[in-house]
Structures are given as structure tokens and as C-alpha cells.
Amino acid sequence: MRFEARVEITHLPGILDPQGATIERALPALGYDNVSDVRVGKSIRLVLDADDEAAARDQVEEMCRRLLANPVIEAYEIALSELSAP
Amino acid sequence: MRFEARVEITHLPGILDPQGATIERALPALGYDNVSDVRVGKSIRLVLDADDEAAARDQVEEMCRRLLANPVIEAYEIALSELSAP
């Protein structure tokens, strides 16, 4: 079975987010003064083959811990969807 | 009303994604040889006040066009959820 995984990587609470802070400072100058809590993270999409959804999720989690995210300062969230057979 | 917006910014099809290509090349060396189509984008979360969901969506779209994304090379996808009153 083939799955598309979408991983959202965000900063852990308490970790500085300078990109988000810069956007938040820039928005009022453009006339948007009703926006707060801007946080910038990464979004990774990938396709993988696995026996079932549980196996796919386990593998993506392991990949996050080992390569995609830095667990010391980042959190990750995984969403999986099954792709129809090619 | 207060909304949380989650914006996913990805490369348009045909635009090079060197970060995704690097991850895709690194994965087999770690033992993951069943992964393909790795694409890396940005994820932006923010909180905004608006009269209703349509107004919130319009404003986030305008912010994407003007500041958050580069429409020449990037696509964006917006997901909104209402936050309970503070």
C-alpha cells in the first residue's frame, strides 16, 4: 500500500522563532493589525510504501526522530492518507 | 470571532526543491528505501480576529499574496479553525 505523509515540524514551546517574530512585526505596517501568534515551521510531504497505515506511521515517526526533525527543539505532527494504487 | 489559520506553502510544480532532493538522497543511506516524492515547504500558523470565516479566509489569502508566499514560485493552502472566545 502506498501512503502520502504530511509532516508539520514546529518549534517546541519556549524555543525562539525569529522568522515568526519578523512576520508578526511586518504585518501591522501592511495594515494587518488583528494578527497575533505567528509561528513558522516546516512542512514535509513524502510518499512511502508500507504494509498498512500503522507500519507507515511508525516509519515516518522514526524518520522524524532520526533525520527530519530535531527533537531537542522541534515537535512534529504526522498526517497520513492512503493513495490509490498506481 | 477568533480564528487559527494554518498556511502550508509549497513550491509550484516544476520549481526545484533542493531541500527535498537532499532528504530523498539521504534516506536510503539510513535504510529507508521505500520513500519517494519528498517535498519541503513552509508551515505558518497564526491567530487573527475577523467578523466571520469568509472574512478571515479573504484576509489570510491577501496576506499570503502580499507577504507570506511568493506567488511566482510558491503555492499556498489555507486551513482555518475557529478558536473558542478567550
Side-chain angles (χ1 to χ4, degrees), chain A residues 4-6 9 14 16-17 19-20 22 26 28 30 32 40 42 47 54 57-60 64 66 68 72 83-84 86:
Chain A
E4 183 181 61
R6 172 175 160 168
I9 298 174
L16 283 181
D17 176 5
Q19 256 191 303
T22 302
L30 292 169
Y32 307 110
V40 177
K42 272 183 295 189
V47 172
R57 186 172 294 275
D58 284 353
Q59 185 185 330
V60 176
C64 281
R66 291 183 65 192
L68 302 178
V72 178
L83 297 176
S84 48

Side-chain angles (χ1 to χ4, degrees), chain A residues 2 4 6 8-10 19 23 26-27 29-50 59 62-63 66-68 77 79, chain B residues 2 4 6 8-10 19 23 26-27 29-50 59 62-63 66-68 77 79:
Chain A
R2 177 159 278 206
E4 183 181 61
R6 172 175 160 168
E8 187 182 3
I9 298 174
T10 53
Q19 256 191 303
I23 291 174
L27 286 169
L30 292 169
Y32 307 110
D33 44 15
N34 56 346
V35 180
S36 61
D37 288 316
V38 182
R39 284 155 295 150
V40 177
K42 272 183 295 189
S43 145
I44 302 178
R45 281 170 184 262
L46 52 87
V47 172
L48 81 165
D49 297 304
Q59 185 185 330
E62 198 183 290
M63 280 161 34
R66 291 183 65 192
L67 178 71
L68 302 178
E77 213 175 90
Chain B
R2 176 160 280 205
E4 182 180 62
R6 173 175 160 169
E8 188 182 5
I9 297 173
T10 53
Q19 257 191 303
I23 292 174
L27 286 169
L30 291 170
Y32 307 109
D33 43 15
N34 57 346
V35 180
S36 60
D37 288 316
V38 182
R39 285 154 294 151
V40 178
K42 271 183 294 188
S43 144
I44 302 178
R45 280 171 184 262
L46 51 87
V47 172
L48 80 165
D49 297 304
Q59 184 184 330
E62 197 183 291
M63 280 161 34
R66 293 182 65 191
L67 178 71
L68 303 177
E77 211 174 273

